[in-house]
């Protein structure tokens, strides 16, 4: 028998209990013995819910119970999650978590403790919800050097941008609708400013580099400035706008960034609509691959957590060796990253054509019928630092700039 | 040091050597020791190629060398691959293979020998080329009951159908073009008749059921009868036609099938174009997920093989417990499977409207401008057996039938 304690009976916690109870039989087969829910930790009581029988309000009961093999942290936030996870690992228990904030901040340290104690710290659900991505990176793409990971990692903003694309709606309208439908929080900052996606790409960057990538070091730009007019230009170019979290390797250097990007319809991520997430991976041998699924939601997230629990239950006393050291990775600045830039500018292209070509290389103009007093263009491929330097001279004319993803 | 012998220096074999040599350093880090190519078995010599130094023409040299830990079978075909793999496992060596014919036929038996000998038999590359799908099913989706796997598992036919969709070309033209471009064999039967996809879905069905699914039991229909006119109807309905290999679970029953299907543009597989493969998975907890990538090609396939080698090198003396017994699974007949059917019929809808509705339920007519003397319609949801029974009365009027995937 493998005993499990779940910390937190909120959305994901109750999902974990539901997944285990629903699929108990096949899960036991896969583990090779019975997976037993021994405790659920929560401040509240749940009278009438069968879980009430195993509710405890005291973490000490769990951490001091030698029979508990696996602790599932699904409370969210840094504290007391961090303390509980650390103490569980130190007590020789494996831990599975869905907590991206915790993993982004303390992942390396917790993995180190897990290794020392010969147990495991797994966190598949912290990136991409139900989508299997961390374990495939760790145990399938092991013949490759991963040169790029680019993901649509936030369902809320993808839902909003999808609405803006198909319905021509403006940012404020779709935000209100997303809030009314429960897809966005009343305070939507973590989603719309890109902070959520930023923590997830920090975790992915740490996994593929094997070093600590701090999310504070990652340039992060949200979707709050994207307008219905921007989307019109995108459509005219056969593109859409997506909030992309990306991590690219060039030689020894790694650059990471979160920002809205123009994406051509030939790109595998172009068609990822609504609240779904998707992660594009380019390996130096594999080439392009993509992983798609539900990036959030009670049962999909819980499915990933239970996948981790089963993996831990199948590997007692055996650390699976996820490589992510505490050594800090110095990210390359975004100034070095070469790409093309889409710029909306006041005035008329005829007047400044020559000057623009001299500054931004072979440019392509984009015209939208009925768009008065402005025009759009795409620059040649250039490092972002060079674009910024050149753009200074046009400060008062530039309406907006959106990065172009290949 | 972990010693590897590669059987066969053809496309995939030379790819395996290239992947290991190119990424030797990171591969060694992941294994925790040096992965050493000790032998390459081939009937030929390769003077001038560095591989010549480790070429052997004699399998006995490999199987009797106690230093060889892992044997990589990339020869293809059933014999001598089967004998070599079996003898390698019996000699206590782990085996990685890309050989779908071998795995579909002898997978259960070879897994059993691997388990008895406490080694591993892995075959990620045999389905979906470079796409990680078997290991995610085995070690990530372990909290789920997989209720459906539907894949575009053959790049050649997908390339052809994509051309037919975008260019309105006819079957014969695109086959010739695919042959001229090297995407299709001179004898294209294995691809266009669906036999290749059929072996792959047999492997997937075996993995998710844990029992032996014989590919001979799977209804298999290729794309040879699909015409430019069929594709016109598909477009009119907001759909496309794809060769789908599918395995669905309904209660205790599992049904598998390979056939061209109409797919609506809201389906995740709709946008999978060209030679790419993609595998859609529905778990009872996870919901929808999809895995996308290169289904063939030297380096993507080799990348998956090397992923298996690394997994085996990291797990010496430890069977990973892939569940696939020799017990045969009796598949449900396709007659029981409920879906809708698209039918092209001679004549005019007005005349037979009432009769068709009485036989096929609430039908939807599809009209293509300029299509003379025929019309199309989609039946209500019904078991295929019932459709077949009803269709008998219209035998001389029905031009063609294509299954509709949700």
């Amino acid at each position: 028998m493998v005993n499990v304690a779940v910390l937190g009976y909120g959305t994901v916690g109750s999902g974990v209990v539901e997944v285990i109870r629903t699929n108990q039989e096949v899960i036991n087969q896969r583990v090779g013995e019975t997976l037993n829910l021994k405790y659920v930790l929560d401040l509240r009581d749940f009278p009438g819910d069968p879980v009430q029988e195993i509710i405890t309000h005291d973490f000490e009961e769990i951490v001091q119970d030698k029979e508990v093999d696996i602790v599932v942290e699904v409370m969210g936030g840094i504290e007391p999650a961090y303390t509980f996870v650390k103490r569980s690992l130190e007590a020789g228990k494996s831990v599975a978590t869905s907590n991206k904030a915790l993993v982004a901040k303390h992942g390396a340290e917790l993995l180190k403790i897990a290794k020392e104690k010969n147990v495991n710290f797994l966190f598949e659900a912290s990136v991409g919800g139900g989508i299997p991505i961390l374990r495939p990176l760790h145990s399938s793409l092991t013949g490759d050097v991963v040169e790029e990971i680019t993901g649509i990692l936030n369902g809320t903003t993808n839902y909003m941008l999808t609405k803006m694309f198909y319905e021509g709606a403006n940012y404020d309208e779709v935000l209100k609708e997303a809030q009314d439908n429960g897809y966005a929080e009343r305070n939507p900052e973590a989603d719309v400013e890109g902070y959520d996606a930023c923590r997830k790409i920090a975790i992915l960057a740490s996994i593929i580099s094997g070093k600590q990538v701090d999310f504070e070091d990652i340039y992060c730009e949200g979707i709050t400035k994207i307008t219905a007019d921007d989307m019109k230009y995108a459509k005219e170019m056969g593109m859409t706008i997506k909030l992309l979290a990306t991590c690219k390797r060039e030689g020894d250097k790694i650059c990471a960034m979160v920002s809205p990007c123009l994406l051509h319809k030939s790109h595998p991520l172009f068609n990822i609509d609504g609240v779904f997430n998707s992660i594009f991976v380019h390996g130096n041998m594999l080439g392009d691959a993509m992983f798609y699924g539900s990036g959030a939601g009670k049962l999909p997230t819980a499915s990933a957590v239970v996948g981790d629990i089963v993996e831990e239950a199948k590997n007692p006393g055996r650390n699976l060796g996820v490589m992510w050291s505490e050594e800090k990775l110095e990210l390359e600045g975004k100034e070095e990253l070469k790409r093309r830039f889409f710029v909306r500018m006041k005035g008329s292209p005829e007047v400044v054509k020559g000057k623009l070509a001299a500054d931004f290389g072979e440019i392509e103009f984009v015209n939208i019928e009925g768009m008065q007093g402005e025009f759009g263009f795409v620059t040649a491929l250039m490092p972002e630092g060079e674009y910024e330097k050149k753009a200074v001279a046009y400060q008062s004319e530039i309406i907006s700039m959106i990065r172009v993803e290949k």
Side-chain angles (χ1 to χ4, degrees), chain A residues 238-253:
Chain A
M239 296 192 177
T240 188
I241 301 171
K242 295 286 187 189
L243 182 65
L244 299 184
T246 186
C247 170
K248 290 182 185 172
R249 187 192 299 269
E250 281 184 20
D252 293 341
K253 296 172 179 171

Side-chain angles (χ1 to χ4, degrees), chain A residues 45 258 387:
Chain A
D45 279 306
V258 176
Y387 165 79

Side-chain angles (χ1 to χ4, degrees), chain A residues 171-393:
Chain A
Y171 176 80
D172 294 331
E173 299 169 51
V174 294
L175 175 58
K176 192 177 173 307
E177 201 184 316
Q179 286 173 322
D180 292 347
N181 291 336
Y183 290 137
E185 308 276 340
R186 283 296 132 194
N187 176 357
E189 201 184 47
D191 293 319
V192 299
E193 296 292 0
Y195 304 152
D196 172 78
C198 188
R199 277 160 181 78
K200 293 170 179 167
I201 196 70
I203 296 171
L204 288 169
S206 299
I207 290 289
I208 66 161
S209 68
K211 296 183 181 171
Q212 174 64 27
V213 175
D214 290 329
F215 67 85
E216 296 92 339
D217 294 348
I218 296 175
Y219 175 79
C220 180
E221 183 181 318
I223 65 162
T224 56
K225 289 174 194 152
I226 300 298
T227 66
D229 281 350
D230 292 333
M231 208 55 102
K232 276 185 202 160
Y233 277 105
K235 279 192 176 181
E236 181 65 29
M237 293 185 280
M239 296 192 177
T240 188
I241 301 171
K242 295 286 187 189
L243 182 65
L244 299 184
T246 186
C247 170
K248 290 182 185 172
R249 187 192 299 269
E250 281 184 20
D252 293 341
K253 296 172 179 171
I254 290 184
C255 181
M257 177 191 277
V258 176
S259 89
C261 286
L262 282 155
L263 207 61
H264 192 262
K265 63 180 167 200
S266 62
H267 196 287
L269 293 174
F270 178 90
N271 292 297
I272 308 306
D273 283 342
V275 294
F276 280 94
N277 282 18
S278 193
I279 299 149
F280 168 86
V281 178
H282 183 87
N284 71 336
M285 296 291 123
L286 170 64
D288 294 348
M290 194 177 70
F291 302 78
Y292 165 93
S294 294
K298 174 177 165 172
L299 291 178
T301 307
S303 155
V305 174
V306 175
D308 280 352
I309 297 173
V310 171
E311 194 69 359
E312 293 177 338
K314 281 163 72 179
N315 288 281
R318 181 165 179 278
N319 181 266
L320 294 165
V322 177
M323 288 191 270
W324 174 357
S325 77
E326 290 180 274
E327 184 189 344
K328 186 179 158 86
L329 180 75
E330 292 300 334
L331 290 172
E332 190 71 3
K334 73 178 169 44
E335 294 69 29
E336 305 297 319
L337 211 64
K338 270 189 187 173
R339 58 164 83 232
R340 302 194 306 148
F341 300 87
F342 166 72
V343 181
R344 280 173 62 193
M345 194 171 264
K346 289 179 208 161
S348 153
E350 285 70 30
V351 185
V352 284
K353 210 170 170 176
K355 193 162 173 284
L356 287 176
D359 281 334
F360 299 109
E362 202 169 314
I363 57 181
E364 286 169 35
F365 288 100
V366 195
N367 289 306
I368 306 282
E369 211 163 322
M371 200 78 85
Q372 296 292 330
E374 65 163 282
F375 63 99
F377 67 91
V378 178
T379 71
L381 200 68
M382 60 203 298
E384 184 152 340
E386 192 185 325
Y387 165 79
E388 284 172 351
K389 234 178 268 171
K390 296 288 171 61
V392 172

